[in-house]
Amino acid sequence: MTRDGLNTLKEIERKVSKLREEAERLRARIINFYRDEEDVLDQEAHIRLSYAGAAVQDAVPCITDALLGLQKAYDAEKALMDTYDGLLNNKSNE
């Protein structure tokens, strides 16, 4: 991977991290909306809001898994790049 690719991977990682944080905020907001803030009178609406909160809650671990995968890919690519750089520096010093 090129340095630009590595930077792009890091940028994607940051965006996924922000997405995870936003998903956690939205989950809390949905739950607070139908439990505390609003009088949801229709049972179907209450059930659908409950499902929506659960769906967002289920998404958070998936986003976390994606984030961990991106971090591991970055670390692996960075380590390989550092190894190549080290070999090239040693070769040029000889």
Side-chain angles (χ1 to χ4, degrees):
M1 184 177 291
T2 65
R3 291 219 182 267
D4 286 340
L6 202 58
N7 290 336
T8 299
L9 186 56
K10 194 61 157 176
E11 178 186 336
I12 293 168
E13 181 187 323
R14 282 190 291 270
K15 287 182 179 184
V16 171
S17 180
K18 288 180 183 178
L19 177 63
R20 182 184 64 183
E21 291 169 6
E22 182 65 16
E24 289 172 345
R25 283 191 295 272
L26 285 171
R27 181 199 61 81
R29 188 171 178 199
I30 291 168
I31 290 170
N32 288 338
F33 177 77
Y34 77 85
R35 282 190 187 162
D36 303 330
E37 296 175 12
E38 295 293 326
D39 293 327
V40 179
L41 300 176
D42 184 81
Q43 184 65 26
E44 182 68 19
H46 191 275
I47 290 169
R48 294 299 170 191
L49 289 167
S50 175
Y51 288 166
V56 174
Q57 184 173 355
D58 290 346
V60 172
C62 294
I63 295 169
T64 301
D65 288 345
L67 181 59
L68 291 173
L70 289 166
Q71 289 170 340
K72 287 178 182 179
Y74 177 87
D75 291 344
E77 285 292 328
K78 179 80 169 90
L80 186 59
M81 186 178 288
D82 290 346
T83 300
Y84 285 150
D85 288 345
L87 290 173
L88 290 173
N89 286 339
N90 285 341
K91 197 169 194 174
S92 66
N93 288 338
E94 292 173 357

